[in-house]
Amino acid sequence: MLRPKAEKLDLDGRPDLKDPDLYMRGEHHEIFRELRAQEPVYWNPEIDSTGFWAITRYDDIERISKNPNLFSSAKHMGGHRIFNEHEIAENQTDATMISMDPPEHAAYRRMITPGFVPKRVSNMEARIRARVTRLLDNLPKTGEAEFVSAVAAALPIEVLAELFGVPESDGPKLFEWSNATVGEDDPELRVSDDYMRQCIMEMAGYAAGLWQQRVEAPGDDLISMLVHSKIEGEALTFPAFIGTFILLVVAGNETTRNSISGGLLALSEHPAERRKLLDNPSLIPSAVQEIVRWVSPVLHMRRTATEDTEIRGQRIRRGDKVVMWYASANRDEEKWAEPDRFDVTRYANSQTPTQLGFGAGQHFCLGSRLAELQLRVLFEELLKRFPDIEVAGPVRRLRSNFISGIKEMPVRYSV
Ligand code: HEM
C-alpha cells in the first residue's frame, strides 16, 4: 500500500480533522477554537485505522513533544504521520531520525547537525541574498507574476541544491518528488499510484548516484556528511541514507515555500502590518516568527502512547495515536492576547511565547535557523524592491491535512 489517502468520514456533525478539505477551505481555525474550548483532547475516529486523539492546546503539545519515552515517534509504533508508517510500502527504507526515539534518534541527528550549525547557516546569508535578488530581478516586467513558482518554491529548492552540493538544474526534480511525497490527498500532485511508484524509483536512483559520487569524491555538503558518517562505529546503511535524503527533500522544501507564500498573503491582507515593516525593517525577524505562527506550515505531527496515561484527565491507552495540531497550538488563547490577529511586532517583545511551528523537544526542527534566514532575507529584499507587491487573484491551496500549502498565488507589483 502507498501512503493512504484520507477517507471521508461522516461524524454526525462532529469535525473530522483528517478531512483535507477543511484545510483547503480554511475552516480549521474555527473548528480548533471550539475544540480548544470544549474538547481539547478530542477522539477522532478513522474509517481505515484505529482513530486518534487530537490535541489542540499549546501546553499539552509542548509536554507531549518533550516526553518521547511516553509519546513515541518510532516507526515501528506508527511513526510521525497519522497513517502507520510501518504499514506503508513506499516507506520500506530504514526509519529516519524523525521516526526514531532516544537514544537512537540522537545518534542520527548528530550525523547531520554539523550541516545546520549557526555559523554554517549564517555563512549562507550572502549567497541566499544573491539568489533572492536574482529571483526578484527575473520577475516579469509586466508587473504581474505567479509568486509560488517564481519565488516561494524556487528559493528553498535552490538552497536545498546548495546543501546537497547538486546542480541547480536538478531543482525541478527535487520539487516534483517533494510534492508527490506529501501530496497524497491532492489529485493534482498524486496523479496516480503508478506515478508515485515512479517518483520513488527515481528518487532512489538519484540518491544512489549521489551516494556513489560522494564515496569517490567527498565534498563539504550534506550528502557527503551522510555517506561518510558512522552510527556507533558503523557506516550508514544505504536504505537509511535514502530515507534521510527523502526526509530532507520534503522537510526543507514544502515548509519554507509555504511560509514565504503564506507570509506574503498575510502581509497583503494586513496592509497596516506591511506598513510597519516598510517603516521599520528591523521588525522583519519578529515578522518571521509571526509568519510561522500564523501559517503553521506543518499542521500536525503524531506520536503513539507507549503506556497507559492521561492527558487533561482523559485516559489514553498504550498504542493510541496522539496527534499534535500545531496549527491550533499557535492560536491558543491561553498563550497569546488576540491570537487571531496577525501582528508583525508580536515577537519584538521577548516575553512573547515561542511559536510551536517548528515543533518542540528532541525533534525540534533541525532546519529552523536556515528557514528563518531564508524568510528574513526574502522579506527584506522583497519589501525593499516591491513595497506594494500584493496578491492579485484567487489563491489555490494544497489539499492536505499535513501541510498548509499554497500551490498558486498571482501577485501584482509596480515596476
Ligand atoms: C518554516 C519552515 C519549517 C517548518 C515550519 C518546519 C517544521 C518542522 C517541525 C514541526 C518539525 C518537528 C517534527 C516532530 O516533532 O515530529 C521539524 C523537524 C525537522 N525539520 Fe523542519 N521545518 C521547516 C524547515 C526546515 C528546513 C529548511 C529543513 C532542512 C533543510 C528542515 C529539516 C527538518 C528535519 C531534518 C527535522 C527532523 C528533526 C528530528 O527528527 O530530530 N526543516 N520541522
Side-chain angles (χ1 to χ4, degrees):
M1 179 172 67
L2 291 172
R3 289 177 186 216
K5 297 183 172 63
E7 302 274 347
K8 290 269 191 190
L9 188 58
D10 183 358
L11 293 182
D12 216 10
R14 289 168 62 75
D16 176 13
L17 297 175
K18 235 173 111 173
D19 178 358
D21 290 323
L22 289 187
Y23 309 91
M24 202 167 71
R25 294 193 298 255
E27 293 167 0
H28 52 299
H29 288 305
E30 186 58 42
I31 293 170
F32 283 138
R33 191 177 307 121
E34 282 178 27
L35 288 178
R36 282 194 302 275
Q38 285 158 24
E39 264 180 284
V41 183
Y42 169 73
W43 180 251
N44 198 123
E46 291 175 279
I47 289 182
D48 53 355
S49 186
T50 52
F52 58 89
W53 294 106
I55 312 299
T56 50
R57 295 224 88 128
Y58 184 110
D59 288 343
D60 296 337
I61 291 179
E62 194 179 32
R63 259 197 304 273
I64 291 166
S65 302
K66 291 184 173 172
N67 193 348
N69 292 330
L70 189 53
F71 297 103
S72 166
S73 296
K75 179 172 174 177
H76 67 90
M77 300 284 291
H80 70 287
R81 297 288 307 270
I82 298 180
F83 56 77
N84 287 325
E85 285 173 32
H86 55 297
E87 292 169 359
I88 305 299
E90 74 195 71
N91 278 4
Q92 295 315 309
T93 56
D94 291 3
T96 61
M97 77 180 98
I98 202 164
S99 301
M100 286 179 187
D101 292 334
E104 195 187 15
H105 166 261
Y108 278 79
R109 185 162 166 128
R110 259 198 309 276
M111 186 174 66
I112 57 168
T113 295
F116 295 95
V117 291
K119 188 162 186 310
R120 189 173 169 123
V121 171
S122 53
N123 282 344
M124 294 176 76
E125 176 162 348
R127 290 190 299 280
I128 290 177
R129 201 172 293 278
R131 293 183 192 289
V132 168
T133 307
R134 186 176 33 75
L135 292 172
L136 298 182
D137 280 346
N138 289 343
L139 281 179
K141 304 294 175 255
T142 54
E144 289 181 354
E146 197 291 288
F147 187 75
V148 176
S149 52
V151 179
L155 178 65
I157 282 286
E158 287 188 11
V159 171
L160 205 59
E162 177 181 332
L163 283 179
F164 287 171
V166 302
E168 267 173 33
S169 53
D170 289 355
K173 280 191 285 213
L174 299 174
F175 178 74
E176 183 182 357
W177 296 335
S178 161
N179 283 343
T181 306
V182 296
E184 66 262 13
D185 288 319
D186 193 318
E188 278 181 11
L189 301 183
R190 177 70 61 89
V191 181
S192 66
D193 286 352
D194 281 346
Y195 163 74
M196 187 59 215
R197 282 191 197 94
Q198 184 198 322
C199 285
I200 295 166
M201 298 279 290
E202 285 174 10
M203 269 192 275
Y206 180 84
L210 283 181
W211 169 285
Q212 197 50 43
Q213 282 169 22
R214 298 304 196 278
V215 167
E216 288 160 13
D220 184 30
D221 53 89
L222 271 186
I223 303 291
S224 300
M225 241 172 242
L226 288 173
V227 168
H228 295 279
S229 340
K230 294 265 186 289
I231 302 281
E232 290 170 4
E234 300 286 326
L236 194 66
T237 64
F238 185 61
F241 168 73
I242 293 187
T244 309
F245 171 79
I246 297 173
L247 168 66
L248 287 168
V249 169
V250 175
N253 179 10
E254 306 283 333
T255 51
T256 316
R257 177 198 318 170
N258 291 309
S259 310
I260 294 172
S261 48
L264 179 57
L265 178 61
L267 290 172
S268 276
E269 289 173 344
H270 301 86
E273 298 304 301
R274 174 213 300 262
R275 186 72 258 159
K276 289 179 195 163
L277 296 184
L278 291 172
D279 291 346
N280 183 1
S282 72
L283 284 172
I284 291 179
S286 162
V288 166
Q289 294 307 316
E290 180 67 347
I291 286 169
V292 179
R293 184 189 76 88
W294 187 253
V295 175
S296 293
V298 177
L299 289 161
H300 69 260
M301 287 283 172
R302 170 242 175 126
R303 301 290 188 258
T304 306
T306 58
E307 291 167 25
D308 288 358
T309 183
E310 280 188 5
I311 305 174
R312 284 188 191 255
Q314 172 61 58
R315 185 160 171 244
I316 310 287
R317 281 169 314 163
R318 178 172 189 273
D320 281 357
K321 299 184 195 181
V322 173
V323 178
M324 308 178 291
W325 292 92
Y326 303 123
S328 172
N330 275 340
R331 303 279 179 113
D332 189 337
E333 26 308 267
E334 276 179 4
K335 284 286 157 187
W336 291 280
E338 299 184 83
D340 290 319
R341 191 162 64 82
F342 179 70
D343 174 1
V344 295
T345 68
R346 199 184 286 275
Y347 283 91
N349 175 351
S350 60
Q351 304 301 310
T352 304
T354 310
Q355 51 80 17
L356 282 188
F358 290 120
Q362 57 159 15
H363 290 283
F364 179 79
C365 177
L366 197 50
S368 63
R369 279 175 205 276
L370 180 60
E372 286 163 358
L373 177 63
Q374 292 181 68
L375 286 161
R376 173 170 66 75
V377 171
L378 186 280
F379 283 105
E380 282 170 1
E381 296 300 324
L382 184 70
L383 292 174
K384 217 186 304 171
R385 187 78 168 275
F386 299 110
D388 65 352
I389 187 165
E390 63 177 3
V391 176
V395 167
R396 290 185 57 239
R397 289 195 169 272
L398 177 68
R399 186 171 183 272
S400 169
N401 61 28
F402 184 57
I403 296 288
S404 174
I406 294 181
K407 290 194 290 192
E408 267 177 30
M409 192 168 87
V411 291
R412 67 174 155 249
Y413 43 87
S414 300
V415 283

